[in-house]
Amino acid sequence: MLKAKILFVGPCESGKTVLANFLTESSDITEYNPTQGVRILEFENPHITSNTKGTGFESCWPALMKDSHGVVIVFNADIPSHLKEIEMWYSCFVQQQFLQDTQCLLIAHHKPGSGSDKGNPSLPTPLNKLKLVHSNLEDDPEDIRLEFIKYLKSIINSVSESRDREEMSIIT
């Protein structure tokens, strides 16, 4: 089974841990407890296979980003400052790592009780070219799960194709 390293990044209190826990089925949705610094979560999804074969904390970012295959940027669309902050996350975790926009997923997370305004926030270039999905675990939790699985499948396929190209270059 191929492994892919996906980073969940974004502003404080945007819902990264809640989403990661939900998408990996690690725990039920619980009350908010801030994550300290970084949280590393590994999970396996046997249903996703490749098509080709069956803060001061910033100094640690390069180590976290090493060998990552994708980045999920989570933000709270109800907090105006998050729109500015996600530009920095995109710059550091996507552009500076030379990832393609297809390797990035932008999630506008709506917290319980915030109302589920699915209007698209006004995103600056180049963020407006990214795939944007809305997440509301209270109203439509399966929508975000399906969107994440589609994203994860595309990442796995990309990793597989890259591995195949690398193997072919060694053979020839």
Side-chain angles (χ1 to χ4, degrees), residues 77-118:
D78 300 323
I79 302 176
S81 63
H82 279 198
L83 290 176
K84 268 291 185 218
E85 263 191 78
I86 59 175
E87 288 183 67
M88 181 275 300
W89 291 103
Y90 176 79
S91 173
C92 292
F93 283 85
V94 179
Q95 290 180 318
Q96 291 177 23
Q97 299 308 304
F98 304 107
L99 295 179
Q100 301 296 312
D101 284 349
T102 55
Q103 292 172 275
C104 183
L105 179 64
L106 198 55
I107 298 180
H109 184 62
H110 301 273
K111 294 191 173 186
S114 69
S116 181
D117 177 19
K118 290 205 173 188

mmCIF file of all heavy atoms in Angstrom, residues 77-118:
data_model
loop_
_atom_site.group_PDB
_atom_site.id
_atom_site.type_symbol
_atom_site.label_atom_id
_atom_site.label_comp_id
_atom_site.label_asym_id
_atom_site.label_seq_id
_atom_site.Cartn_x
_atom_site.Cartn_y
_atom_site.Cartn_z
ATOM 1 N N ALA A 77 -14.059 30.551 7.899
ATOM 2 C CA ALA A 77 -14.508 31.610 6.994
ATOM 3 C C ALA A 77 -15.218 32.747 7.735
ATOM 4 O O ALA A 77 -15.397 33.825 7.178
ATOM 5 C CB ALA A 77 -15.433 31.025 5.931
ATOM 6 N N ASP A 78 -15.622 32.504 8.995
ATOM 7 C CA ASP A 78 -16.313 33.523 9.777
ATOM 8 C C ASP A 78 -15.349 34.508 10.446
ATOM 9 O O ASP A 78 -15.778 35.480 11.053
ATOM 10 C CB ASP A 78 -17.185 32.870 10.851
ATOM 11 C CG ASP A 78 -18.236 31.949 10.236
ATOM 12 O OD1 ASP A 78 -18.771 32.301 9.162
ATOM 13 O OD2 ASP A 78 -18.502 30.879 10.818
ATOM 14 N N ILE A 79 -14.046 34.232 10.359
ATOM 15 C CA ILE A 79 -13.047 35.109 10.982
ATOM 16 C C ILE A 79 -12.261 35.809 9.869
ATOM 17 O O ILE A 79 -11.443 35.180 9.193
ATOM 18 C CB ILE A 79 -12.099 34.310 11.904
ATOM 19 C CG1 ILE A 79 -12.909 33.590 12.991
ATOM 20 C CG2 ILE A 79 -11.042 35.224 12.522
ATOM 21 C CD1 ILE A 79 -12.084 32.686 13.899
ATOM 22 N N PRO A 80 -12.510 37.089 9.648
ATOM 23 C CA PRO A 80 -11.884 37.809 8.530
ATOM 24 C C PRO A 80 -10.349 37.718 8.494
ATOM 25 O O PRO A 80 -9.762 37.613 7.414
ATOM 26 C CB PRO A 80 -12.336 39.257 8.733
ATOM 27 C CG PRO A 80 -13.597 39.151 9.529
ATOM 28 C CD PRO A 80 -13.427 37.946 10.397
ATOM 29 N N SER A 81 -9.696 37.702 9.655
ATOM 30 C CA SER A 81 -8.227 37.654 9.659
ATOM 31 C C SER A 81 -7.697 36.333 9.094
ATOM 32 O O SER A 81 -6.569 36.263 8.616
ATOM 33 C CB SER A 81 -7.684 37.870 11.078
ATOM 34 O OG SER A 81 -8.113 36.814 11.930
ATOM 35 N N HIS A 82 -8.505 35.279 9.137
ATOM 36 C CA HIS A 82 -8.069 33.993 8.596
ATOM 37 C C HIS A 82 -7.810 34.062 7.092
ATOM 38 O O HIS A 82 -6.914 33.388 6.590
ATOM 39 C CB HIS A 82 -9.096 32.901 8.888
ATOM 40 C CG HIS A 82 -8.988 32.351 10.278
ATOM 41 N ND1 HIS A 82 -9.542 31.156 10.631
ATOM 42 C CD2 HIS A 82 -8.406 32.828 11.401
ATOM 43 C CE1 HIS A 82 -9.292 30.904 11.911
ATOM 44 N NE2 HIS A 82 -8.613 31.928 12.398
ATOM 45 N N LEU A 83 -8.584 34.894 6.388
ATOM 46 C CA LEU A 83 -8.379 35.014 4.937
ATOM 47 C C LEU A 83 -6.989 35.550 4.623
ATOM 48 O O LEU A 83 -6.361 35.121 3.657
ATOM 49 C CB LEU A 83 -9.455 35.899 4.311
ATOM 50 C CG LEU A 83 -10.851 35.289 4.281
ATOM 51 C CD1 LEU A 83 -11.870 36.282 3.740
ATOM 52 C CD2 LEU A 83 -10.872 34.009 3.468
ATOM 53 N N LYS A 84 -6.504 36.469 5.430
ATOM 54 C CA LYS A 84 -5.148 36.993 5.237
ATOM 55 C C LYS A 84 -4.107 35.955 5.659
ATOM 56 O O LYS A 84 -3.090 35.770 5.004
ATOM 57 C CB LYS A 84 -4.944 38.275 6.054
ATOM 58 C CG LYS A 84 -5.259 39.518 5.281
ATOM 59 C CD LYS A 84 -4.215 39.700 4.216
ATOM 60 C CE LYS A 84 -4.378 40.980 3.453
ATOM 61 N NZ LYS A 84 -4.069 40.810 2.032
ATOM 62 N N GLU A 85 -4.366 35.283 6.777
ATOM 63 C CA GLU A 85 -3.409 34.305 7.293
ATOM 64 C C GLU A 85 -3.181 33.134 6.349
ATOM 65 O O GLU A 85 -2.076 32.627 6.243
ATOM 66 C CB GLU A 85 -3.891 33.762 8.645
ATOM 67 C CG GLU A 85 -3.255 34.453 9.818
ATOM 68 C CD GLU A 85 -3.557 33.712 11.104
ATOM 69 O OE1 GLU A 85 -2.913 32.676 11.368
ATOM 70 O OE2 GLU A 85 -4.441 34.178 11.843
ATOM 71 N N ILE A 86 -4.233 32.694 5.662
ATOM 72 C CA ILE A 86 -4.057 31.517 4.814
ATOM 73 C C ILE A 86 -3.130 31.791 3.633
ATOM 74 O O ILE A 86 -2.540 30.866 3.088
ATOM 75 C CB ILE A 86 -5.397 30.898 4.349
ATOM 76 C CG1 ILE A 86 -6.226 31.895 3.570
ATOM 77 C CG2 ILE A 86 -6.140 30.322 5.532
ATOM 78 C CD1 ILE A 86 -7.509 31.293 2.979
ATOM 79 N N GLU A 87 -2.955 33.065 3.273
ATOM 80 C CA GLU A 87 -1.971 33.399 2.231
ATOM 81 C C GLU A 87 -0.573 32.989 2.688
ATOM 82 O O GLU A 87 0.216 32.457 1.914
ATOM 83 C CB GLU A 87 -1.998 34.898 1.918
ATOM 84 C CG GLU A 87 -3.222 35.340 1.173
ATOM 85 C CD GLU A 87 -3.159 36.806 0.820
ATOM 86 O OE1 GLU A 87 -2.289 37.180 -0.007
ATOM 87 O OE2 GLU A 87 -3.958 37.585 1.387
ATOM 88 N N MET A 88 -0.245 33.243 3.956
ATOM 89 C CA MET A 88 1.062 32.864 4.496
ATOM 90 C C MET A 88 1.214 31.345 4.515
ATOM 91 O O MET A 88 2.248 30.804 4.158
ATOM 92 C CB MET A 88 1.227 33.445 5.904
ATOM 93 C CG MET A 88 2.563 33.154 6.579
ATOM 94 S SD MET A 88 2.693 31.556 7.452
ATOM 95 C CE MET A 88 1.412 31.693 8.668
ATOM 96 N N TRP A 89 0.164 30.641 4.941
ATOM 97 C CA TRP A 89 0.222 29.173 4.977
ATOM 98 C C TRP A 89 0.451 28.622 3.572
ATOM 99 O O TRP A 89 1.236 27.698 3.383
ATOM 100 C CB TRP A 89 -1.067 28.601 5.582
ATOM 101 C CG TRP A 89 -1.194 28.911 7.044
ATOM 102 C CD1 TRP A 89 -1.985 29.870 7.608
ATOM 103 C CD2 TRP A 89 -0.497 28.283 8.128
ATOM 104 N NE1 TRP A 89 -1.818 29.875 8.984
ATOM 105 C CE2 TRP A 89 -0.918 28.906 9.320
ATOM 106 C CE3 TRP A 89 0.432 27.256 8.206
ATOM 107 C CZ2 TRP A 89 -0.444 28.534 10.573
ATOM 108 C CZ3 TRP A 89 0.907 26.879 9.448
ATOM 109 C CH2 TRP A 89 0.473 27.518 10.608
ATOM 110 N N TYR A 90 -0.240 29.189 2.595
ATOM 111 C CA TYR A 90 -0.089 28.749 1.212
ATOM 112 C C TYR A 90 1.342 28.996 0.722
ATOM 113 O O TYR A 90 1.969 28.127 0.128
ATOM 114 C CB TYR A 90 -1.102 29.468 0.312
ATOM 115 C CG TYR A 90 -0.943 29.150 -1.145
ATOM 116 C CD1 TYR A 90 -1.430 27.951 -1.669
ATOM 117 C CD2 TYR A 90 -0.303 30.037 -2.002
ATOM 118 C CE1 TYR A 90 -1.285 27.651 -3.010
ATOM 119 C CE2 TYR A 90 -0.153 29.746 -3.347
ATOM 120 C CZ TYR A 90 -0.648 28.552 -3.845
ATOM 121 O OH TYR A 90 -0.484 28.253 -5.174
ATOM 122 N N SER A 91 1.850 30.181 1.013
ATOM 123 C CA SER A 91 3.207 30.523 0.591
ATOM 124 C C SER A 91 4.241 29.568 1.188
ATOM 125 O O SER A 91 5.086 29.027 0.484
ATOM 126 C CB SER A 91 3.527 31.966 0.991
ATOM 127 O OG SER A 91 4.878 32.254 0.731
ATOM 128 N N CYS A 92 4.154 29.345 2.500
ATOM 129 C CA CYS A 92 5.149 28.508 3.187
ATOM 130 C C CYS A 92 5.028 27.028 2.865
ATOM 131 O O CYS A 92 6.025 26.348 2.674
ATOM 132 C CB CYS A 92 5.031 28.684 4.699
ATOM 133 S SG CYS A 92 5.522 30.301 5.287
ATOM 134 N N PHE A 93 3.810 26.516 2.827
ATOM 135 C CA PHE A 93 3.624 25.068 2.739
ATOM 136 C C PHE A 93 3.362 24.552 1.332
ATOM 137 O O PHE A 93 3.489 23.361 1.091
ATOM 138 C CB PHE A 93 2.501 24.622 3.677
ATOM 139 C CG PHE A 93 2.938 24.582 5.106
ATOM 140 C CD1 PHE A 93 2.912 25.713 5.896
ATOM 141 C CD2 PHE A 93 3.405 23.401 5.669
ATOM 142 C CE1 PHE A 93 3.329 25.680 7.226
ATOM 143 C CE2 PHE A 93 3.822 23.359 6.996
ATOM 144 C CZ PHE A 93 3.788 24.492 7.762
ATOM 145 N N VAL A 94 2.973 25.424 0.404
ATOM 146 C CA VAL A 94 2.718 24.967 -0.960
ATOM 147 C C VAL A 94 3.770 25.550 -1.909
ATOM 148 O O VAL A 94 4.556 24.818 -2.501
ATOM 149 C CB VAL A 94 1.282 25.325 -1.419
ATOM 150 C CG1 VAL A 94 1.036 24.863 -2.853
ATOM 151 C CG2 VAL A 94 0.262 24.688 -0.478
ATOM 152 N N GLN A 95 3.804 26.883 -2.029
ATOM 153 C CA GLN A 95 4.720 27.509 -2.977
ATOM 154 C C GLN A 95 6.185 27.228 -2.668
ATOM 155 O O GLN A 95 6.933 26.834 -3.554
ATOM 156 C CB GLN A 95 4.481 29.022 -3.023
ATOM 157 C CG GLN A 95 3.170 29.382 -3.680
ATOM 158 C CD GLN A 95 2.951 30.877 -3.706
ATOM 159 O OE1 GLN A 95 3.229 31.580 -2.735
ATOM 160 N NE2 GLN A 95 2.425 31.369 -4.809
ATOM 161 N N GLN A 96 6.608 27.422 -1.422
ATOM 162 C CA GLN A 96 8.025 27.241 -1.091
ATOM 163 C C GLN A 96 8.446 25.771 -1.129
ATOM 164 O O GLN A 96 9.633 25.481 -1.175
ATOM 165 C CB GLN A 96 8.341 27.852 0.276
ATOM 166 C CG GLN A 96 8.254 29.370 0.260
ATOM 167 C CD GLN A 96 8.492 29.980 1.632
ATOM 168 O OE1 GLN A 96 9.118 29.388 2.499
ATOM 169 N NE2 GLN A 96 7.986 31.190 1.830
ATOM 170 N N GLN A 97 7.479 24.869 -1.118
ATOM 171 C CA GLN A 97 7.790 23.436 -1.215
ATOM 172 C C GLN A 97 7.626 22.934 -2.647
ATOM 173 O O GLN A 97 7.753 21.744 -2.909
ATOM 174 C CB GLN A 97 6.880 22.628 -0.278
ATOM 175 C CG GLN A 97 7.045 23.000 1.170
ATOM 176 C CD GLN A 97 8.505 22.969 1.617
ATOM 177 O OE1 GLN A 97 9.169 21.962 1.479
ATOM 178 N NE2 GLN A 97 8.993 24.098 2.112
ATOM 179 N N PHE A 98 7.322 23.855 -3.556
ATOM 180 C CA PHE A 98 7.157 23.544 -4.981
ATOM 181 C C PHE A 98 6.075 22.492 -5.222
ATOM 182 O O PHE A 98 6.195 21.653 -6.104
ATOM 183 C CB PHE A 98 8.491 23.121 -5.622
ATOM 184 C CG PHE A 98 9.565 24.145 -5.445
ATOM 185 C CD1 PHE A 98 10.603 23.940 -4.557
ATOM 186 C CD2 PHE A 98 9.510 25.347 -6.138
ATOM 187 C CE1 PHE A 98 11.590 24.896 -4.373
ATOM 188 C CE2 PHE A 98 10.492 26.314 -5.961
ATOM 189 C CZ PHE A 98 11.530 26.086 -5.076
ATOM 190 N N LEU A 99 5.015 22.545 -4.415
ATOM 191 C CA LEU A 99 3.876 21.666 -4.641
ATOM 192 C C LEU A 99 2.962 22.301 -5.683
ATOM 193 O O LEU A 99 2.907 23.524 -5.816
ATOM 194 C CB LEU A 99 3.100 21.433 -3.342
ATOM 195 C CG LEU A 99 3.821 20.687 -2.223
ATOM 196 C CD1 LEU A 99 2.923 20.557 -0.996
ATOM 197 C CD2 LEU A 99 4.305 19.327 -2.665
ATOM 198 N N GLN A 100 2.247 21.469 -6.405
ATOM 199 C CA GLN A 100 1.273 21.951 -7.385
ATOM 200 C C GLN A 100 -0.008 22.348 -6.653
ATOM 201 O O GLN A 100 -0.305 21.828 -5.577
ATOM 202 C CB GLN A 100 0.958 20.845 -8.398
ATOM 203 C CG GLN A 100 2.166 20.336 -9.154
ATOM 204 C CD GLN A 100 2.779 21.418 -10.017
ATOM 205 O OE1 GLN A 100 2.078 22.113 -10.748
ATOM 206 N NE2 GLN A 100 4.092 21.576 -9.922
ATOM 207 N N ASP A 101 -0.787 23.216 -7.265
ATOM 208 C CA ASP A 101 -2.061 23.607 -6.658
ATOM 209 C C ASP A 101 -2.983 22.400 -6.482
ATOM 210 O O ASP A 101 -3.806 22.375 -5.573
ATOM 211 C CB ASP A 101 -2.749 24.688 -7.496
ATOM 212 C CG ASP A 101 -2.096 26.053 -7.311
ATOM 213 O OD1 ASP A 101 -1.256 26.201 -6.381
ATOM 214 O OD2 ASP A 101 -2.424 26.972 -8.080
ATOM 215 N N THR A 102 -2.862 21.395 -7.356
ATOM 216 C CA THR A 102 -3.693 20.194 -7.231
ATOM 217 C C THR A 102 -3.341 19.385 -5.979
ATOM 218 O O THR A 102 -4.109 18.521 -5.570
ATOM 219 C CB THR A 102 -3.534 19.287 -8.462
ATOM 220 O OG1 THR A 102 -2.146 18.989 -8.636
ATOM 221 C CG2 THR A 102 -4.099 19.945 -9.706
ATOM 222 N N GLN A 103 -2.185 19.671 -5.384
ATOM 223 C CA GLN A 103 -1.770 18.983 -4.163
ATOM 224 C C GLN A 103 -2.256 19.710 -2.916
ATOM 225 O O GLN A 103 -1.945 19.319 -1.803
ATOM 226 C CB GLN A 103 -0.241 18.857 -4.119
ATOM 227 C CG GLN A 103 0.310 17.925 -5.187
ATOM 228 C CD GLN A 103 1.820 17.977 -5.221
ATOM 229 O OE1 GLN A 103 2.411 18.831 -5.866
ATOM 230 N NE2 GLN A 103 2.449 17.061 -4.519
ATOM 231 N N CYS A 104 -3.027 20.770 -3.116
ATOM 232 C CA CYS A 104 -3.524 21.577 -2.009
ATOM 233 C C CYS A 104 -5.044 21.581 -2.008
ATOM 234 O O CYS A 104 -5.679 21.703 -3.050
ATOM 235 C CB CYS A 104 -2.991 23.004 -2.148
ATOM 236 S SG CYS A 104 -3.466 24.090 -0.788
ATOM 237 N N LEU A 105 -5.612 21.430 -0.830
ATOM 238 C CA LEU A 105 -7.056 21.512 -0.653
ATOM 239 C C LEU A 105 -7.331 22.592 0.383
ATOM 240 O O LEU A 105 -6.705 22.621 1.444
ATOM 241 C CB LEU A 105 -7.612 20.159 -0.170
ATOM 242 C CG LEU A 105 -9.109 20.085 0.088
ATOM 243 C CD1 LEU A 105 -9.893 20.301 -1.205
ATOM 244 C CD2 LEU A 105 -9.465 18.733 0.696
ATOM 245 N N LEU A 106 -8.250 23.477 0.066
ATOM 246 C CA LEU A 106 -8.607 24.581 0.942
ATOM 247 C C LEU A 106 -9.974 24.261 1.555
ATOM 248 O O LEU A 106 -10.933 23.994 0.832
ATOM 249 C CB LEU A 106 -8.676 25.860 0.108
ATOM 250 C CG LEU A 106 -8.632 27.213 0.767
ATOM 251 C CD1 LEU A 106 -7.397 27.368 1.640
ATOM 252 C CD2 LEU A 106 -8.644 28.298 -0.300
ATOM 253 N N ILE A 107 -10.038 24.240 2.885
ATOM 254 C CA ILE A 107 -11.296 23.914 3.559
ATOM 255 C C ILE A 107 -11.765 25.104 4.394
ATOM 256 O O ILE A 107 -11.077 25.530 5.319
ATOM 257 C CB ILE A 107 -11.157 22.673 4.469
ATOM 258 C CG1 ILE A 107 -10.777 21.439 3.639
ATOM 259 C CG2 ILE A 107 -12.473 22.427 5.233
ATOM 260 C CD1 ILE A 107 -10.615 20.173 4.460
ATOM 261 N N ALA A 108 -12.942 25.618 4.037
ATOM 262 C CA ALA A 108 -13.597 26.656 4.834
ATOM 263 C C ALA A 108 -14.445 25.914 5.860
ATOM 264 O O ALA A 108 -15.501 25.373 5.544
ATOM 265 C CB ALA A 108 -14.460 27.543 3.943
ATOM 266 N N HIS A 109 -13.928 25.854 7.084
ATOM 267 C CA HIS A 109 -14.588 25.080 8.141
ATOM 268 C C HIS A 109 -15.575 25.961 8.892
ATOM 269 O O HIS A 109 -15.253 27.068 9.313
ATOM 270 C CB HIS A 109 -13.539 24.520 9.103
ATOM 271 C CG HIS A 109 -14.109 23.636 10.157
ATOM 272 N ND1 HIS A 109 -14.757 22.463 9.866
ATOM 273 C CD2 HIS A 109 -14.142 23.761 11.507
ATOM 274 C CE1 HIS A 109 -15.161 21.899 10.995
ATOM 275 N NE2 HIS A 109 -14.809 22.665 12.002
ATOM 276 N N HIS A 110 -16.786 25.456 9.033
ATOM 277 C CA HIS A 110 -17.837 26.188 9.749
ATOM 278 C C HIS A 110 -18.076 25.483 11.070
ATOM 279 O O HIS A 110 -18.430 24.305 11.105
ATOM 280 C CB HIS A 110 -19.118 26.226 8.917
ATOM 281 C CG HIS A 110 -18.929 26.881 7.589
ATOM 282 N ND1 HIS A 110 -19.043 28.234 7.396
ATOM 283 C CD2 HIS A 110 -18.582 26.363 6.385
ATOM 284 C CE1 HIS A 110 -18.797 28.524 6.131
ATOM 285 N NE2 HIS A 110 -18.516 27.407 5.494
ATOM 286 N N LYS A 111 -17.845 26.190 12.140
ATOM 287 C CA LYS A 111 -18.016 25.605 13.470
ATOM 288 C C LYS A 111 -19.495 25.456 13.800
ATOM 289 O O LYS A 111 -20.323 26.202 13.285
ATOM 290 C CB LYS A 111 -17.317 26.479 14.512
ATOM 291 C CG LYS A 111 -15.810 26.475 14.321
ATOM 292 C CD LYS A 111 -15.101 27.109 15.477
ATOM 293 C CE LYS A 111 -13.602 26.899 15.294
ATOM 294 N NZ LYS A 111 -12.837 27.355 16.416
ATOM 295 N N PRO A 112 -19.822 24.512 14.680
ATOM 296 C CA PRO A 112 -21.226 24.317 15.062
ATOM 297 C C PRO A 112 -21.853 25.615 15.562
ATOM 298 O O PRO A 112 -21.234 26.367 16.305
ATOM 299 C CB PRO A 112 -21.142 23.286 16.191
ATOM 300 C CG PRO A 112 -19.876 22.542 15.923
ATOM 301 C CD PRO A 112 -18.939 23.550 15.334
ATOM 302 N N GLY A 113 -23.055 25.873 15.086
ATOM 303 C CA GLY A 113 -23.771 27.066 15.524
ATOM 304 C C GLY A 113 -23.421 28.328 14.763
ATOM 305 O O GLY A 113 -24.007 29.374 14.989
ATOM 306 N N SER A 114 -22.450 28.250 13.842
ATOM 307 C CA SER A 114 -22.034 29.465 13.134
ATOM 308 C C SER A 114 -22.930 29.747 11.942
ATOM 309 O O SER A 114 -22.761 30.743 11.260
ATOM 310 C CB SER A 114 -20.582 29.328 12.652
ATOM 311 O OG SER A 114 -20.492 28.361 11.624
ATOM 312 N N GLY A 115 -23.874 28.859 11.659
ATOM 313 C CA GLY A 115 -24.648 29.004 10.432
ATOM 314 C C GLY A 115 -23.767 28.478 9.315
ATOM 315 O O GLY A 115 -22.551 28.553 9.395
ATOM 316 N N SER A 116 -24.340 27.935 8.319
ATOM 317 C CA SER A 116 -23.531 27.279 7.289
ATOM 318 C C SER A 116 -23.554 28.090 6.010
ATOM 319 O O SER A 116 -24.090 27.658 5.009
ATOM 320 C CB SER A 116 -24.058 25.867 7.058
ATOM 321 O OG SER A 116 -23.280 25.217 6.092
ATOM 322 N N ASP A 117 -22.980 29.267 6.040
ATOM 323 C CA ASP A 117 -22.933 30.104 4.847
ATOM 324 C C ASP A 117 -21.940 29.494 3.875
ATOM 325 O O ASP A 117 -20.736 29.514 4.094
ATOM 326 C CB ASP A 117 -22.516 31.529 5.218
ATOM 327 C CG ASP A 117 -22.390 32.415 3.995
ATOM 328 O OD1 ASP A 117 -22.962 32.052 2.946
ATOM 329 O OD2 ASP A 117 -21.722 33.452 4.086
ATOM 330 N N LYS A 118 -22.468 28.940 2.798
ATOM 331 C CA LYS A 118 -21.585 28.300 1.833
ATOM 332 C C LYS A 118 -21.206 29.242 0.706
ATOM 333 O O LYS A 118 -20.716 28.814 -0.317
ATOM 334 C CB LYS A 118 -22.229 27.028 1.283
ATOM 335 C CG LYS A 118 -22.300 25.948 2.334
ATOM 336 C CD LYS A 118 -22.333 24.604 1.700
ATOM 337 C CE LYS A 118 -22.237 23.546 2.779
ATOM 338 N NZ LYS A 118 -22.070 22.228 2.294
#
